[in-house]
Amino acid sequence: MGKQNIEYQPIVKPSRYRPFDMTILSTKYQKWTAVLGLLFLITYFFQDFLYDKFWVSYVIPFFIFAISFLIVFFIGLWKGDRGVIKVLISVLVIIGVTELFKSEIFKSKILLTADLKDDLSNINLILRKNHTFEIRSTTISREKRFSGKYKIDNNKIIFLARPYDSDFIPDTLTIYQDKLILKFNKGEPVLDYATYFDIKQNHLTDGL
């Protein structure tokens, strides 16, 4: 029998990083990028809670995780690990979708906005067409939000849920000219400084 010609193929060791392998979390750079991206998203989603607890100090972990995430991402790219791109895209898509749903696009039409300001704080009121209200109270050190349902009775706005964490804002406001009155004294509206809302826009007659 004649000798058979056997061709030997050289053994090629796979490279440590495969530039076009887009499988997520297959390398240490993808894993670290995902972990730091997750920590960044946690601080992003809970930024209101962190701000309320720690005031401006909440930005410290926010920026630490954001910068660390970007550093590991660019190191991964520099090492030829293209998989970190998908991790970055995933984080950006999550933030983008969240911001989209928080925008006015998916919310009911605004019928009325009003502000109550003093030297140290600002209270903003929004009434929407679907009979929901939003109140945002902002001070130097914190921000609080309240929401619920309301109804209109002639020139009165009646909150069906507690509009504030104290009795400063009553459950009923009265529309008086370009103001929302909180209190009356002997039948007359109290118009002292920082005791009423200034109406910025009013389309209640159009939407209700």
Side-chain angles (χ1 to χ4, degrees), residues 187-199:
E188 295 297 323
V190 176
L191 298 175
D192 298 334
Y193 176 68
T195 60
Y196 59 88
F197 283 90
D198 280 311
I199 297 175

Side-chain angles (χ1 to χ4, degrees), residues 96-134:
V97 171
T98 302
E99 290 297 323
L100 182 63
F101 277 98
K102 287 167 61 177
S103 69
E104 290 293 326
I105 296 176
F106 295 98
K107 292 183 179 181
S108 180
K109 179 184 176 182
I110 293 176
L111 296 182
L112 181 143
T113 61
D115 290 326
L116 191 161
K117 297 181 180 180
D118 61 23
D119 295 332
L120 299 176
S121 65
N122 177 52
I123 301 176
N124 175 256
L125 168 66
I126 295 176
L127 300 183
R128 296 186 179 276
K129 188 174 182 179
N130 62 354
H131 292 273
T132 60
F133 72 85
E134 301 166 15

Side-chain angles (χ1 to χ4, degrees), residues 6-125:
I6 300 177
E7 295 183 0
Y8 293 95
Q9 299 293 332
I11 298 175
V12 178
K13 294 182 178 181
S15 60
R16 188 175 180 182
Y17 299 109
R18 292 167 289 179
F20 299 100
D21 183 3
M22 298 299 285
T23 303
I24 292 182
L25 307 184
S26 62
T27 70
K28 67 178 182 181
Y29 291 110
Q30 295 171 29
K31 292 175 182 177
W32 275 109
T33 304
V35 168
L36 292 170
L38 178 61
L39 293 172
F40 170 70
L41 286 174
I42 291 174
T43 57
Y44 164 77
F45 284 117
F46 290 94
Q47 56 184 306
D48 291 338
F49 172 80
L50 295 172
Y51 179 82
D52 186 53
K53 293 295 182 181
F54 305 106
W55 194 25
V56 294
S57 300
Y58 92 97
V59 300
I60 296 176
F62 185 86
F63 282 114
I64 288 176
F65 293 138
I67 292 172
S68 300
F69 171 74
L70 292 175
I71 288 175
V72 175
F73 168 76
F74 284 114
I75 290 176
L77 279 184
W78 182 62
K79 292 290 187 178
D81 188 352
R82 297 285 297 277
V84 295
I85 296 177
K86 268 197 172 181
V87 180
L88 175 65
I89 292 174
S90 299
V91 171
L92 294 178
V93 167
I94 291 172
I95 293 175
V97 171
T98 302
E99 290 297 323
L100 182 63
F101 277 98
K102 287 167 61 177
S103 69
E104 290 293 326
I105 296 176
F106 295 98
K107 292 183 179 181
S108 180
K109 179 184 176 182
I110 293 176
L111 296 182
L112 181 143
T113 61
D115 290 326
L116 191 161
K117 297 181 180 180
D118 61 23
D119 295 332
L120 299 176
S121 65
N122 177 52
I123 301 176
N124 175 256
L125 168 66

Side-chain angles (χ1 to χ4, degrees), residues 136-154:
R136 183 177 63 189
S137 174
T138 306
T139 64
I140 297 176
S141 60
R142 64 178 54 192
E143 178 179 283
K144 293 183 179 181
R145 296 173 183 267
F146 308 88
S147 61
K149 291 286 188 177
Y150 75 91
K151 67 178 182 179
I152 300 294
D153 184 7
N154 294 322

